Amino acid sequence: MPANRLLKIVKSVGPGAAEYRDWVEQQPLRQFLEHERSAAATTLYGTAYDRGGSVFVHSLLVPVKDINFKETSSFTSWEGNPFDSSSCGLVYGGGEGARVEYNEPWTYNRQALFRRARRLIFGRSFEGSHDGRHYYELAQELTHAHGLHWVEERNAWCRLDDAGDVADFSKIEHVGPENGRGSATVVSVNRDLLNLHMAATQTCLVQMFDSTALPGDFHGFMGGEEHVFANPLIGLVMKYRLDTQGASYFRGVQIICPPLNARELGEVLYKADRAPKKYTSFIIQDFKNGRLAEISCDPAAMASYFEKDSSLPFQTSPVFFKPEVLDKYKADPDKYRLDARSISCRNAWSLQTYDFNDAGQVHTMIKYLGDLPYAEQLHWKSCNESPKAPISKRSYKTDFEGSFDVEPDGLRDLKSVLLRLREDRPAWFTLHEEKLVDQLHYPLTASTKIWNETLVTLAKCTTEGLKKSYFESEARKRGRAGDAAWGSIKWTRELLQALSVDEDRISEIVEPLVEVQRLRTKLGAHVGGTEAAAIRRALLKKFHSPRAHIEALAFQLSGALDALESILK
């Protein structure tokens, strides 16, 4: 952790300690600088303070052409820090009259080395905020060019990686008390990203550093001479002084250049982008050759319908999986979008189509598995199995016959109604957790946990959306007394009766709402016992599987909400 490395530099060491000489000569600083030359993350700004002294690091981007190791004074007499600010406002005096001017920080213009330097970190504070603490901004030159965004909970500027995960590319780290002894703050950036940026802009990073080691009884530097050290091979120039009383200072810059220039790095990235993709194999239903076979999902291992003379399996050969293959995607709805027939992972990848057959198996085509990243292919391979039933009728019609999907689907219909209500925002219904609609999926296994969770989600999307205040108010306007302790479902029934809706129609509307609420209570995530087991047995006896039960209940709920929408208009 970079912040801990800075603290090691300023940790006080007594004259009697074995590490005393190393501390005076600031070996931890040298180790820090050496580590920075090859570290996975490079320090853009760092500061640490303790009884043993202080250390300060501040970095700028400088054009490669401006680096001249013969001008050592420019490397050791620098000024400036991240809190130097531009200004714009009224200026007067000097015989020029009043005017407005915009000015960059003057501190970087005093040496030729820094006249074209670009700042990467900006330190700021605002006394009007509730805590008044310092905060830091990363230059838009980095955030915009590399698609970085500040993520508060990670204390970092992030973007999505190739797997669709949030990855830190520039991070703020702080250890110890705020602005107290034994504290350190570091802002670092991913070295690969920095190398890419430096190569593209023909710049290098100049890390300015100032480190002081002070004994406990320090009263000023006494004795010792100031020396200058310059090593262009490692990009290090500094002046230093070792005091005869055990104090020292080191001040200078370390220049970090990208290992490859723009053209060289471009060649490397170009080759990596076109490197052969890895593929794994799957058991498929090779209906072209009338067999089960294990083949690679490499496009070269399959043929299209237009390749008449090829003996290779068709690209549309079905592949079958245990239903657990979808659990990974259901468990992380923030990362994965699981639609009725497709799956996508943020901006990383997508599976164009899938479905499930009467045996509860998930199936897709071998062609689409080849579109997945290799790691994702391995996940699907771990659940791959031989077919236990043909592909679904829906898949056959849409994927092979090219027909529209006209098969009834309770959950799909319910989602459609919920999304319509979300857009229309009627006075009687509010979808409190809109993301839950995307998390409504059929339970494909006999798992009671998944079945229970689906019922809870169904109830949250439907009965919790009914506004008790609306139904009670409208019912009372029509002379219904009711009971203030009633919930929204009872008041729904009361209003429908007040509107002279046929009693059989009322039952069709209200009973599914009552049922989903009853099952949520009796079979909820933490409910067990003989009553819950008996309810599940009865449901399985009637519907044969959790999936069939959820589909039937979803049909009833979509019909109930549809009817309410029509009546209450």
Side-chain angles (χ1 to χ4, degrees):
M1 188 175 180
N4 287 331
R5 291 192 183 92
L6 288 186
L7 279 179
K8 186 177 180 181
I9 298 172
V10 297
K11 183 180 180 182
S12 180
V13 177
E19 304 91 355
Y20 178 70
R21 190 62 189 172
D22 285 348
W23 173 70
V24 173
E25 295 179 353
Q26 297 207 32
Q27 291 299 328
L29 171 66
R30 298 168 188 261
Q31 293 165 3
F32 170 81
L33 294 172
E34 182 179 358
H35 180 265
E36 285 289 303
R37 291 196 284 271
S38 59
T42 301
T43 300
L44 298 181
Y45 166 74
T47 182
Y49 167 63
D50 206 351
R51 296 181 184 279
S54 63
V55 62
F56 170 77
V57 180
H58 178 38
S59 303
L60 300 173
L61 273 185
V62 175
V64 174
K65 293 180 179 179
D66 292 352
I67 303 296
N68 184 356
F69 283 98
K70 294 180 180 180
E71 298 180 6
T72 55
S73 61
S74 295
F75 294 89
T76 58
S77 59
W78 53 264
E79 297 181 60
N81 66 74
F83 290 90
D84 292 332
S85 178
S86 306
S87 63
C88 185
L90 174 66
V91 178
Y92 56 90
E96 295 187 35
R99 61 199 182 278
V100 292
E101 284 187 358
Y102 170 82
N103 292 295
E104 292 285 356
W106 63 272
T107 51
Y108 299 109
N109 296 324
R110 301 184 67 182
Q111 292 94 20
L113 172 65
F114 299 122
R115 282 178 188 158
R116 294 199 294 164
R118 307 207 290 269
R119 299 168 66 188
L120 298 177
I121 288 294
F122 299 83
R124 308 190 68 193
S125 62
F126 180 48
E127 293 182 2
S129 65
H130 68 281
D131 53 20
R133 292 189 302 174
H134 298 315
Y135 65 96
Y136 301 91
E137 295 176 353
L138 192 63
Q140 290 185 345
E141 177 176 350
L142 290 180
T143 58
H144 287 212
H146 301 282
L148 305 182
H149 301 267
W150 175 251
V151 180
E152 184 70 31
E153 60 270 23
R154 300 175 73 97
N155 216 32
W157 288 271
C158 308
R159 74 182 185 202
L160 298 178
D161 62 17
D162 291 339
D165 293 314
V166 178
D168 302 339
F169 279 83
S170 182
K171 191 170 181 65
I172 300 176
E173 298 174 7
H174 181 84
V175 294
E178 193 73 28
N179 300 320
R181 290 183 184 272
S183 65
T185 300
V186 168
V187 183
S188 60
V189 66
N190 177 276
R191 182 58 180 274
D192 290 337
L193 182 144
L194 180 63
N195 284 341
L196 171 65
H197 195 83
M198 292 190 296
T201 57
Q202 299 179 33
T203 56
C204 56
L205 191 76
V206 175
Q207 279 185 328
M208 302 175 285
F209 61 88
D210 189 315
S211 179
T212 307
L214 303 175
D217 57 351
F218 179 76
H219 297 292
F221 283 96
M222 294 180 289
E225 295 182 0
E226 184 176 274
H227 301 273
V228 174
F229 172 88
N231 187 341
L233 294 178
I234 61 174
L236 183 61
V237 181
M238 63 183 176
K239 63 182 180 181
Y240 64 95
R241 179 178 177 181
L242 306 180
D243 192 322
T244 55
Q245 303 300 312
S248 65
Y249 65 75
F250 285 72
R251 180 181 177 85
V253 303
Q254 175 164 260
I255 297 170
I256 297 176
C257 295
L260 303 173
N261 62 32
R263 187 168 296 278
E264 292 167 340
L265 184 55
E267 286 293 328
V268 170
L269 297 178
Y270 182 84
K271 289 179 181 178
D273 188 54
R274 282 154 179 76
K277 184 178 177 180
K278 294 180 68 176
Y279 298 95
T280 191
S281 59
F282 295 89
I283 301 170
I284 70 164
Q285 186 178 34
D286 180 9
F287 61 88
K288 178 181 182 181
N289 299 304
R291 58 172 184 158
L292 291 181
E294 182 165 344
I295 71 158
S296 170
C297 60
D298 185 339
M302 58 191 85
S304 71
Y305 285 107
F306 303 104
E307 298 174 74
K308 303 290 187 182
D309 299 329
S310 174
S311 61
L312 296 176
F314 284 133
Q315 298 169 334
T316 53
S317 299
V319 196
F320 298 80
F321 304 90
K322 299 173 185 176
E324 289 82 4
V325 72
L326 301 181
D327 291 349
K328 170 184 177 180
Y329 311 117
K330 294 177 181 178
D332 193 354
D334 290 331
K335 180 178 179 180
Y336 303 106
R337 181 177 178 85
L338 189 63
D339 292 324
R341 297 291 306 279
S342 63
I343 305 170
S344 58
C345 173
R346 287 176 173 151
N347 66 338
W349 58 264
S350 63
L351 183 71
Q352 184 165 325
T353 185
Y354 80 97
D355 210 343
F356 39 86
N357 62 14
D358 291 341
Q361 290 178 297
V362 174
H363 59 82
T364 185
M365 299 179 189
I366 187 66
K367 174 184 185 300
Y368 299 128
L369 293 170
D371 296 336
L372 302 180
Y374 185 67
E376 214 59 43
Q377 293 176 28
L378 295 179
H379 166 69
W380 284 79
K381 183 179 178 66
S382 68
C383 296
N384 184 208
E385 61 182 359
S386 300
K388 298 178 181 177
I391 62 173
S392 67
K393 294 178 181 179
R394 175 171 61 181
S395 176
Y396 184 77
K397 285 186 175 182
T398 58
D399 300 334
F400 289 89
E401 293 184 341
S403 304
F404 289 105
D405 178 13
V406 294
E407 291 291 322
D409 186 307
L411 214 48
R412 181 191 61 198
D413 293 351
L414 176 60
K415 287 183 177 184
S416 177
V417 173
L418 290 171
L419 293 176
R420 186 173 70 245
L421 292 175
R422 182 189 67 183
E423 296 300 320
D424 294 346
R425 299 186 181 279
W428 57 274
F429 188 86
T430 296
L431 192 58
H432 295 292
E433 298 181 67
E434 295 183 4
K435 288 186 176 181
L436 286 180
V437 177
D438 292 331
Q439 297 173 31
L440 273 173
H441 307 292
Y442 286 118
L444 301 180
T445 68
S447 167
T448 56
K449 179 177 181 295
I450 295 175
W451 192 1
N452 295 343
E453 290 173 351
T454 305
L455 287 168
V456 171
T457 306
L458 272 177
K460 287 182 176 181
C461 289
T462 54
T463 57
E464 285 191 8
L466 299 174
K467 290 185 180 180
K468 173 186 172 181
S469 58
Y470 170 86
F471 289 100
E472 180 178 2
S473 173
E474 293 298 318
R476 290 189 186 280
K477 285 179 184 178
R478 290 161 175 77
R480 312 295 289 201
D483 188 330
W486 283 356
S488 59
I489 298 176
K490 283 191 175 182
W491 278 112
T492 299
R493 179 185 287 276
E494 196 75 4
L495 176 58
L496 293 175
Q497 290 175 337
L499 293 171
S500 301
V501 177
D502 182 79
E503 195 61 38
D504 290 340
R505 186 69 170 137
I506 293 176
S507 295
E508 290 176 359
I509 295 170
V510 173
E511 286 180 4
L513 302 171
V514 173
E515 175 67 0
V516 73
Q517 197 64 23
R518 179 184 77 91
L519 294 177
R520 174 187 184 178
T521 303
K522 300 292 185 180
L523 306 179
H526 303 290
V527 177
T530 56
E531 183 183 8
I535 292 173
R536 291 191 190 95
R537 283 196 300 270
L539 290 172
L540 288 174
K541 184 176 181 181
K542 180 177 180 181
F543 297 101
H544 307 297
S545 69
R547 179 197 174 283
H549 167 243
I550 293 299
E551 180 168 26
L553 184 57
F555 268 126
Q556 294 174 324
L557 289 169
S558 64
L561 294 177
D562 248 338
L564 280 174
E565 183 181 30
S566 177
I567 293 169
L568 297 178
K569 277 183 178 179

